[in-house]
Amino acid sequence: MKKQEKLDKTIVVPGDLLSEDATKAAEGTYVENGKVYSLTYGLADEREKVRVIPLSGKYLPAIGDVVIGMVSDVSFSNWKVDINSPYEALMHISEYPRRIESSEMAKIMGVGDLAIFKVVDVDPSMKIELAPREGQLRVLRSGRVVEVSYTKVPRVIGRAGSMISLLKSKLDVNIFVGKNGRIWINGKAEDEDLAIKVIKRIEREAHTSGLTDRITKLLEEEKHGVHEKR
Amino acid sequence: MEFMKNGKRIDDRLPNELRPIKFEVGALERADGSCYVEHGGNKIMAAVYGPRAVHPRHLQQANRAIIRYRYNMASFSVEERRRPGPDRRSVEISKVSRQAIDPVIIKEFYPRSTIDIFVEILQADAGTRSAGINAASVALADAGVPMRGLISSCAVGKVDDTVVLDLVKEEDNYGQADMPVAMDVRTGEVTLLQMDGHLTLDEFEQALELSKIGCASIADMQREALIRKYRGKEDE
């Protein structure tokens, strides 16, 4: 019984009946004979609409998403970018803020380089086009990148960015969370270590409530430990 | 061989009773979805990878994902060592199992990709294709693949002129009939039905009804196993 109380939403599996009212169907559901059923394994969120938040799955890019990508190939006029999705994304040379020659491409961003991109186009056959975010290409030359499931990204960010603000305030690190589940952390090595530890904990416990409180406690304890050792 | 004694079967089960079944969701760390199942004497591991890029490329479909299913028996899964690698039987089982699961998957969400399902039979004791389908279905859900429902499967058959549920090896080898059935229990849509042996029309209908009851119990176990994966972690 106690376990039940700790869950803020119910776990559903594909085919579970969610509602008798077809107008309430939202993401992660489908309608059959006027009834709403779950399409994925996830948490059912029932308010005005019924939606299912997946617990796992692969990231599918949407226009406007800001992601962290890794260059996998540089061709004549495009950078091929791995964005932690089943599909490869492309950034065309003309998207670069200033006019450059093909030969300069690898110098600006070579194979293995990580950068922050914005998804500018996704067509029905999943051809994905990227551009630098806010007109300026940000290549990540320091810090570290960790990967979490994209389904946990909202929990890592927290309501109105609360979790990220918490991490930034307690640790002296810069954090950037990509929609595709890649998280860039930049700071002192021990702060980075702790940030990664905390993020992994958030990923594991993303489906539980009262998470922010537990993370606050964890951060306090860990910080304290670090200071005592010094 | 005598199969029925005082209404009980050789392993002391009733004609309409399933063997003990245990599902473990997410048994493999590095697969996108996985499920280990013990179904009586069967021990099976199912792994799902994808949606991911298709190799070789010519297999890819522009408007939907493709599904690939590999059923494989380990060389040590049966009493007498089995030659490793696919044979005629496992190629057929791979095909019918794929077709059993395919109808519930929403393939249009992932064009130009593949969803790969691997089912490894580690220990076999009749009904491996059914148990494999059950495990694969749970592994797909675990991988977050969008589906209209879970597919459940069980075998029915005939021994000593009695229609029985979920045959064991002796009943399968020396019985009168064996019939694996897979279905989406909610809609009642049958996605796999094969038969080996002889049943009268009445017996066939009786067997199909019995398989629906068996599949319904298995569907409950599959659902319960998936829910437990996240409930269990609460305690840590």
Side-chain angles (χ1 to χ4, degrees), chain A residues 126-196:
Chain A
M126 298 307 283
K127 292 208 171 67
I128 300 151
E129 278 177 46
L130 302 175
R133 185 176 66 128
E134 285 155 12
Q136 212 201 335
L137 187 67
R138 181 111 176 260
V139 183
L140 307 172
R141 304 230 183 255
S142 60
R144 279 185 268 178
V145 171
V146 285
E147 253 173 41
V148 300
S149 166
Y150 89 97
T151 57
K152 318 291 188 198
V153 165
R155 284 318 290 269
V156 174
I157 294 170
R159 193 160 292 155
S162 60
M163 195 71 89
I164 283 299
S165 323
L166 175 71
L167 280 170
K168 284 181 181 167
S169 68
K170 299 277 179 190
L171 300 166
D172 187 21
V173 287
N174 197 358
I175 301 177
F176 181 83
V177 185
K179 255 281 177 70
N180 57 344
R182 289 207 181 119
I183 302 167
W184 177 63
I185 304 154
N186 191 23
K188 276 194 300 224
E190 58 254 47
D191 287 333
E192 285 179 359
D193 284 342
L194 184 51
I196 290 168

Side-chain angles (χ1 to χ4, degrees), chain A residues 2-4 6-7 10-17 30 32 37-41 54-58 60 85-88 124-128 152 204-205 207-209, chain B residues 25 32 49-53 62 106 109-113 141-150 184 186-187 222-223 225-236:
Chain A
K2 212 176 156 208
K3 286 185 212 163
Q4 187 70 31
K6 271 169 83 180
L7 281 178
T10 38
I11 302 168
V12 294
V13 305
D16 277 4
L17 179 65
Y30 69 99
E32 193 177 289
Y37 298 95
S38 175
L39 200 53
T40 51
Y41 174 37
L55 284 162
S56 52
K58 290 282 171 83
L60 279 188
S85 150
Y87 307 100
E88 194 131 80
S125 71
M126 298 307 283
K127 292 208 171 67
I128 300 151
K152 318 291 188 198
R204 262 199 321 278
E205 299 178 12
H207 60 289
T208 60
S209 56
Chain B
V25 184
D32 293 314
Y49 296 86
R52 63 181 180 181
I106 315 289
F109 282 10
Y110 301 95
R112 298 194 299 122
S113 70
D142 183 39
V145 173
M147 294 189 285
R148 274 181 278 269
L150 294 174
D184 178 348
R186 180 177 67 75
T187 59
Q222 289 172 308
R223 191 171 177 277
L226 283 164
I227 290 171
R228 200 176 47 226
K229 180 185 177 187
Y230 282 93
R231 281 277 163 71
K233 280 189 179 173
E234 294 271 288
D235 297 327
E236 283 171 18

Side-chain angles (χ1 to χ4, degrees), chain B residues 41-118:
Chain B
N42 294 309
K43 293 182 179 176
I44 296 168
M45 182 69 84
V48 169
Y49 296 86
R52 63 181 180 181
V54 189
H55 293 288
R57 284 277 279 279
H58 70 268
L59 296 175
Q60 107 184 353
Q61 294 282 318
N63 59 342
R64 62 175 180 87
I66 60 165
I67 313 291
R68 292 188 289 197
Y69 191 111
R70 178 181 139 110
Y71 165 99
N72 185 51
M73 282 183 109
S75 55
F76 51 81
S77 62
V78 280
E79 307 261 298
E80 191 74 26
R81 181 188 141 90
R82 198 189 145 278
R83 235 177 95 95
D87 54 9
R88 202 174 67 160
R89 175 178 172 276
S90 65
V91 170
E92 181 201 297
I93 294 176
S94 299
K95 179 181 185 289
V96 296
S97 301
R98 188 192 73 234
Q99 290 173 330
I101 285 197
D102 186 283
V104 290
I105 301 175
I106 315 289
K107 297 179 283 290
E108 290 72 20
F109 282 10
Y110 301 95
R112 298 194 299 122
S113 70
T114 178
I115 298 168
D116 293 329
I117 307 163
F118 297 90

Side-chain angles (χ1 to χ4, degrees), chain B residues 199-206:
Chain B
L199 291 176
T200 65
L201 188 57
D202 279 349
E203 282 166 345
F204 173 79
E205 279 168 1
Q206 201 190 330

Side-chain angles (χ1 to χ4, degrees), chain A residues 10-228:
Chain A
T10 38
I11 302 168
V12 294
V13 305
D16 277 4
L17 179 65
L18 298 172
S19 170
E20 308 267 342
D21 180 3
T23 60
K24 291 178 87 178
E27 318 97 272
T29 68
Y30 69 99
V31 176
E32 193 177 289
N33 298 326
K35 290 178 181 170
V36 185
Y37 298 95
S38 175
L39 200 53
T40 51
Y41 174 37
L43 301 168
D45 179 13
E46 278 176 82
R47 272 169 281 188
E48 324 78 89
K49 297 265 183 181
V50 198
R51 64 188 189 116
V52 177
I53 306 154
L55 284 162
S56 52
K58 290 282 171 83
Y59 169 69
L60 279 188
I63 295 170
D65 283 2
V66 177
V67 299
I68 297 177
M70 188 170 78
V71 177
S72 61
D73 197 11
V74 185
S75 71
F76 178 71
S77 56
N78 284 293
W79 281 278
K80 259 193 194 154
V81 184
D82 166 57
I83 52 165
N84 198 21
S85 150
Y87 307 100
E88 194 131 80
L90 294 176
M91 186 174 107
H92 193 255
I93 187 166
S94 62
E95 296 285 357
Y96 192 73
R98 71 188 158 79
R99 215 184 128 75
I100 52 165
E101 291 299 319
S102 224
S103 54
E104 294 174 76
M105 287 172 73
K107 241 183 285 168
I108 290 160
M109 205 167 39
V111 172
D113 280 348
L114 289 144
I116 300 172
F117 299 95
K118 195 171 142 193
V119 178
V120 287
D121 192 37
V122 180
D123 83 352
S125 71
M126 298 307 283
K127 292 208 171 67
I128 300 151
E129 278 177 46
L130 302 175
R133 185 176 66 128
E134 285 155 12
Q136 212 201 335
L137 187 67
R138 181 111 176 260
V139 183
L140 307 172
R141 304 230 183 255
S142 60
R144 279 185 268 178
V145 171
V146 285
E147 253 173 41
V148 300
S149 166
Y150 89 97
T151 57
K152 318 291 188 198
V153 165
R155 284 318 290 269
V156 174
I157 294 170
R159 193 160 292 155
S162 60
M163 195 71 89
I164 283 299
S165 323
L166 175 71
L167 280 170
K168 284 181 181 167
S169 68
K170 299 277 179 190
L171 300 166
D172 187 21
V173 287
N174 197 358
I175 301 177
F176 181 83
V177 185
K179 255 281 177 70
N180 57 344
R182 289 207 181 119
I183 302 167
W184 177 63
I185 304 154
N186 191 23
K188 276 194 300 224
E190 58 254 47
D191 287 333
E192 285 179 359
D193 284 342
L194 184 51
I196 290 168
K197 193 174 165 185
V198 171
I199 287 165
K200 286 291 172 190
R201 170 91 177 257
I202 296 170
E203 185 188 20
R204 262 199 321 278
E205 299 178 12
H207 60 289
T208 60
S209 56
L211 186 59
T212 314
D213 296 340
R214 286 206 301 285
I215 295 300
T216 313
K217 220 179 121 210
L218 176 72
L219 276 168
E220 290 293 343
E221 285 168 13
E222 291 282 346
K223 261 291 186 191
H224 211 67
V226 170
H227 286 303
E228 267 174 15

